[in-house]
Amino acid sequence: MLLDHIDSPADLKKLALSELPQLAQEIRQFLIEKLSATGGHLAPNLGVVELTLALHYLYDSPKDKLIFDVGHQAYVHKMLTGRMDRFHTLRQKNGLCGFVKRAESEHDVWEAGHSSTSLSAAIGMALARDLKGENNKVIAVIGDGALTGGMALEALNHIGHEKRKLTVVLNDNEMSIAPNVGALHNYLGKVRSDKTYRKAKEEFEALLRKIPAVGGKLAKTAERFKDGLKYLVVPGMLFEEFGLKYFGPVDGHDVEKLLDTFRQADKVDGPVLVHVLTVKGKGYSPAEADSLKWHGITPYKIESGQVVKPVGPPMYTEVFGNALIELAEKDERIVAVTPAMPAGSGLLGFEKRFPNRMFDVGIAEQHAATMCAAMALEGLKPVYAVYSTFLQRAYDQVVHDICRHNANVIFAIDRAGFVGPDGETHQGVYDIAFLRHIPNLVLMMPKDENELRRMLKTAVDYDDGPIAVRYPRVNGLGVPMDEDPQPIPIGKWEVVREGDYAAVLAIGPMVQVAEEAAELLKREGIGIRVVNARFIKPLDEEMLLSLAQERLPLLVLEETAVAGGLGSAVLEFYALHQIQSMSVSLAGIPDRFIEHASIKEQRIEAGLTAEHVAQELRAKVARVRQKAT
């Protein structure tokens, strides 16, 4: 096999051009086999095999900078840069990252788990190159879905202004994770299908080359005519208007055509855009037929394409989606908004049931937030369904447009807490810190899936401003579900276990961890009170004052960053009320990025297990007893 002899881009360059199609086939088979065991982003990588081969065959990585937007389509890049032997560790603790990672290889020059960053990185590296007097090439690969991100368009505008030599490769497969939406997507559809323009452009350029040089006037007239032809046959010629020389569309599965196009692009002294057409999931029929399902996949059976799913209660995402449908049946004001994540956010059922009340805005978290604010001010009940890690991108809009207006927007914050194999770029552990301090916002988290249903009912019934419910990327506990969920009084916690030695204030999945720790200590005669501190804002001030009167030692337990979390809020409360007698300890995620692993392993690393919590409480109770004597 050719693949057995590839351990670096230098090995790839030794192959004849005629051998690359066979290598592409072997790469696809390798990915299909390896990912059937580990899971991962299969469809995106099957779609960029020939494109990645062409890039590494022609360019000199890492001297030439290959920048992959998002990075989940860089598995082939990892294979060609010496990491094939570690693919069995993909997305596992201490194994290969599912995204580009600078610490893994000198060939990984830019890492990102969020979309639309590659073009800003490309112009930054091009500017750095020119200022240092170097001569390397800069190539950014961005998908047509990521191109809709505001940051990408801002960078595109700057690239055209700077006119630095760099190449933008537009990987156009008509998908981000879900099918793309919007005017730019429609524009690319016209370019994809407009063979008339491509033929006319080629013929006219050939004609111009045949005209003998007869002075500048004729040349200028010809150039103006050529520009007019562009406007005649393709409305806008968007990319050339941005200042980038446009090449394409080119078949992204034809290595020879790709190489020829990149060589032509390299002759341009300025920014160019190469429009490449690919098929997401190419080479594996289940992934080609349903690239949405196979974008990021759990382990599967290769022959049948059957996904191996664990048996158990539904995930919180599914519970959210079903509960929202039930609520929307009774309240016509409810609309759902998502930034390109209808499936991941559990909204496909809602979209099918209420197609006119479902809005997928593409990869545009900022726009989604401001749009929700406006809808709310006009009397609707917008539910902004977004992953915690992606909500970070809309922080200014949450402050300026939603909370400052006191707009009645409902945030459904999915993937709150650890996210497992997606790792540090996707951990949902910062939203409490960047939301809790914003005026007007209510923030809550359920201890189980039934309480999630109750919180959604609470949010829909709430009319006094923005309200957020955050929930984890795990299966529910399998608790009984109320047929008619009732709202929860705003700011009221609940005691789920009595005890008078110490108290644990816990949120979300940590309530169960606290109960398990309390059960361990019960065997030692230590009674621990467990409080479901389900409202992070506002706090249950009445209960906090009562705990202070009892002088009960407290441990605040949360699967979120300690800095700025619920524990910080509790300490702020006691400081504000000048209560200095309380012993308060904090257990959460330390001040560092937690890398990819299973959620269980990530909790062990952060000390968020029943055994660790029991140990902390045991020591805390012993210290209090020692002081008392």
Side-chain angles (χ1 to χ4, degrees), residues 76 80 101 105 108 131 196 304 325 363 385 408 530 561 605 627:
V76 183
L80 299 176
K101 192 167 182 64
S105 170
D108 290 9
L131 288 169
T196 304
S304 64
I325 292 172
I363 300 175
N408 192 201
V530 177
E605 182 176 344
K627 276 187 179 182

Side-chain angles (χ1 to χ4, degrees), residues 479-494:
V479 299
M481 304 287 242
D482 296 341
E483 290 187 14
D484 184 23
Q486 295 300 304
I488 303 169
I490 298 294
K492 289 301 177 184
W493 298 346
E494 67 167 348

Side-chain angles (χ1 to χ4, degrees), residues 403-477:
C403 292
R404 192 179 57 83
H405 279 111
N406 202 31
N408 192 201
V409 174
I410 299 170
F411 293 92
I413 305 174
D414 201 341
R415 271 65 167 179
F418 285 131
V419 296
D422 280 341
E424 57 191 311
T425 60
H426 282 59
Q427 305 288 25
V429 300
Y430 306 113
D431 58 271
I432 290 179
F434 70 73
L435 291 176
R436 184 177 64 80
H437 63 271
I438 307 174
N440 296 332
L441 181 69
V442 172
L443 181 58
M444 50 190 174
M445 187 175 195
K447 71 178 187 299
D448 57 44
E449 62 269 40
N450 186 58
E451 192 164 62
L452 171 59
R453 286 166 54 82
R454 293 189 64 194
M455 285 186 172
L456 285 172
K457 173 62 174 172
T458 304
V460 169
D461 286 0
Y462 185 74
D463 293 322
D464 295 333
I467 185 168
V469 54
R470 62 192 307 270
Y471 43 94
R473 186 189 187 181
V474 296
N475 293 88
L477 301 180

Side-chain angles (χ1 to χ4, degrees), residues 98-358:
F99 302 91
V100 177
K101 192 167 182 64
R102 287 171 60 88
E104 269 187 17
S105 170
E106 63 178 348
H107 297 279
D108 290 9
V109 299
W110 178 257
E111 59 181 66
H114 294 181
S115 77
S116 311
T117 68
S118 61
L119 301 190
S120 297
I123 184 61
M125 289 187 182
L127 289 167
R129 172 201 63 201
D130 294 349
L131 288 169
K132 292 189 294 182
E134 297 173 347
N135 63 353
N136 61 284
K137 296 180 174 66
V138 177
I139 305 97
V141 181
I142 185 168
D144 50 320
L147 195 63
T148 67
M151 186 175 174
L153 295 175
E154 291 171 16
L156 200 64
N157 181 61
H158 190 219
I159 288 169
H161 170 74
E162 287 288 343
K163 297 181 173 56
R164 307 287 175 154
K165 187 174 179 64
L166 63 85
T167 299
V168 175
V169 180
L170 174 58
N171 175 31
D172 182 359
N173 57 26
E174 303 186 65
M175 298 284 289
S176 51
I177 296 175
N180 288 330
V181 297
L184 184 56
H185 164 67
N186 294 334
Y187 169 81
L188 291 176
K190 291 179 182 178
V191 178
R192 279 191 291 269
S193 61
D194 202 323
K195 296 178 182 178
T196 304
Y197 164 69
R198 279 180 281 161
K199 184 177 180 182
K201 181 173 180 284
E202 290 166 3
E203 290 178 350
F204 186 71
E205 288 177 343
L207 177 64
L208 285 180
R209 285 194 293 270
K210 293 178 182 178
I211 298 175
V214 292
K217 186 175 181 181
L218 178 59
K220 290 179 181 177
T221 301
E223 195 62 35
R224 284 198 300 269
F225 181 73
K226 181 180 170 185
D227 288 341
L229 179 68
K230 290 190 293 189
Y231 288 108
L232 177 66
V233 294
V234 178
M237 278 306 296
L238 177 66
F239 301 113
E240 296 212 4
E241 289 303 308
F242 264 110
L244 288 80
K245 177 71 174 176
Y246 175 84
F247 290 87
V250 59
D251 182 355
H253 301 296
D254 187 323
V255 178
E256 190 170 352
K257 286 183 179 178
L258 285 167
L259 288 170
D260 181 61
T261 304
F262 288 140
R263 289 188 181 108
Q264 290 183 53
D266 284 343
K267 296 176 182 177
V268 177
D269 188 21
V272 300
L273 184 139
V274 179
H275 186 180
V276 177
L277 305 183
T278 61
V279 176
K280 198 170 182 180
K282 186 173 178 62
Y284 185 53
S285 54
E288 284 193 43
D290 189 353
S291 59
L292 173 59
K293 172 184 174 182
W294 290 84
H295 172 83
I297 198 72
T298 55
Y300 55 91
K301 298 178 181 178
I302 296 175
E303 295 77 12
S304 64
Q306 181 182 351
V307 177
V308 180
K309 289 187 176 181
V311 178
M315 293 190 72
Y316 279 84
T317 302
E318 183 181 345
V319 174
F320 157 74
N322 292 334
L324 190 63
I325 292 172
E326 293 175 17
L327 291 166
E329 294 277 8
K330 302 172 184 177
D331 192 335
E332 293 183 353
R333 299 174 301 164
I334 294 175
V335 296
V337 177
T338 183
M341 300 298 293
S345 293
L347 291 174
L348 292 181
F350 187 95
E351 183 177 35
K352 184 177 181 180
R353 176 66 185 86
F354 306 106
N356 295 329
R357 293 159 63 183
M358 165 73 182

Side-chain angles (χ1 to χ4, degrees), residues 5-13 79-82 107:
H5 304 286
I6 303 297
D7 195 45
S8 71
D11 296 328
L12 175 66
K13 297 179 197 300
M79 292 174 63
L80 299 176
T81 52
H107 297 279

